[in-house]
Amino acid sequence: MQPVEKFILIHGTFLFALGVALALFNTAYFGTAYAVEDGVLEWLTVLTLASISAITTRRLWCGFGHFNIRQKLVLAALALLAAFGALEEISWGQRLFGITSPEFFLQNNAQVETNIHNLIINDINFNKTVFAKGILIIFLLYLGVITPLCRRSPRLRAIADSWAVPLPKTYHIVGYLVIIAAVEGLINLKPDEVFRRGELTEFAVPLLVALNIIFPRNQQVFEPWKDRSVPESQTHHKNSLAGP
């Protein structure tokens, strides 16, 4: 595990565990301070999504001559989706610049903000009906079908690599399950509803997705311009001996 990867995992786990503890034992503080709108969790989510977009864009740029057309399309899609998510979280700059929402969003947005995921049109809640269910289906296919098949079949793993599909490490899979169990299980089973518990999921899942995409099991696919035949530490040592 790389140092940056370990740093993000440790601190992210701490913040998530703290959120779970507060949701269970200090519900009022959790809902009014820790998971508050525009609070630390939400801004960390924006930073996480923006980082995914920036790093994926950098990979696409640096490895443009190395990637095939399928890999380029997947990387571009990941970068755009992450950027879309970050802009949705800050309501496309509205919160940063104090812009008033257009009339359409004032009438059809649950938070009267300029974003799509909080729209409610004809009793259809986009967040619950479109985004939540859509993301759930994607994760079920990704973790329940694609990942197990790729781990068992070198041929299927090669196909996934040819499409630049970031395959999860074991701790990624465990992390997704822990988040679901803690938020949708442990916290959701409390007799009293925990206000804004969904914010904890919205923070933890993107953070784990970032680790999954930036440090996947098949990371060599995403940085083909690097020679991984020699460990980085040895390369650094040789460069030091070579002098300026």
Side-chain angles (χ1 to χ4, degrees):
M1 187 179 290
Q2 299 181 39
V4 175
E5 181 181 7
K6 187 180 293 185
F7 177 88
I8 296 171
L9 179 61
I10 291 173
H11 288 79
T13 300
F14 171 77
L15 291 173
F16 178 74
L18 177 60
V20 172
L22 289 172
L24 292 173
F25 304 110
N26 195 338
T27 305
Y29 182 84
F30 175 83
T32 58
Y34 193 72
V36 69
E37 192 79 21
D38 282 338
V40 62
L41 292 186
E42 190 155 30
W43 281 105
L44 284 173
T45 301
V46 173
L47 178 62
T48 298
L49 292 169
S51 297
I52 295 173
S53 182
I55 291 172
T56 306
T57 300
R58 178 184 175 277
R59 285 175 171 174
L60 181 60
W61 175 266
C62 292
F64 197 82
H66 298 272
F67 295 125
N68 60 43
I69 186 64
R70 299 184 301 277
Q71 292 170 325
K72 291 174 184 176
L73 288 173
V74 171
L75 288 170
L78 288 174
L80 289 173
L81 285 171
F84 175 83
L87 290 170
E88 279 283 293
E89 283 296 310
I90 58 172
S91 296
W92 296 80
Q94 177 184 10
R95 295 182 187 174
L96 294 177
F97 305 110
I99 302 170
T100 303
S101 298
E103 189 64 27
F104 172 81
F105 291 99
L106 291 175
Q107 293 181 359
N108 298 288
N109 192 284
Q111 295 182 333
V112 294
E113 294 180 344
T114 308
N115 57 50
I116 297 173
H117 71 281
N118 284 321
L119 285 176
I120 299 178
I121 300 176
N122 295 328
D123 295 327
I124 297 175
N125 188 317
F126 276 52
N127 198 14
K128 293 181 179 179
T129 306
V130 180
F131 286 89
K133 291 183 178 179
I135 292 173
L136 177 61
I137 291 171
I138 291 172
F139 267 93
L140 287 175
L141 289 173
Y142 178 65
L143 296 175
V145 179
I146 295 175
T147 297
L149 289 176
C150 287
R151 287 198 170 195
R152 293 172 186 172
S153 170
R155 183 168 176 271
L156 291 176
R157 186 163 60 248
I159 293 174
D161 288 347
S162 73
W163 279 89
V165 176
L167 299 176
K169 296 178 180 177
T170 301
Y171 85 83
H172 296 144
I173 300 171
V174 173
Y176 290 126
L177 296 176
V178 168
I179 293 168
I180 295 171
V183 179
E184 302 304 325
L186 193 61
I187 296 176
N188 198 32
L189 287 175
K190 281 198 68 177
D192 301 322
E193 184 178 355
V194 178
F195 180 57
R196 299 186 65 80
R197 67 181 175 84
E199 294 296 322
L200 198 54
T201 304
E202 288 185 18
F203 157 72
V205 169
L207 187 66
L208 201 52
V209 168
L211 289 169
N212 193 159
I213 291 176
I214 299 170
F215 305 103
R217 189 182 185 91
N218 53 341
Q219 190 168 0
Q220 73 284 351
V221 173
F222 299 89
E223 296 176 344
W225 61 90
K226 290 186 178 181
D227 180 10
R228 297 186 180 276
S229 59
V230 179
E232 244 180 73
S233 57
Q234 291 185 24
T235 304
H236 177 72
H237 179 65
K238 287 181 182 179
N239 290 339
S240 300
L241 293 175

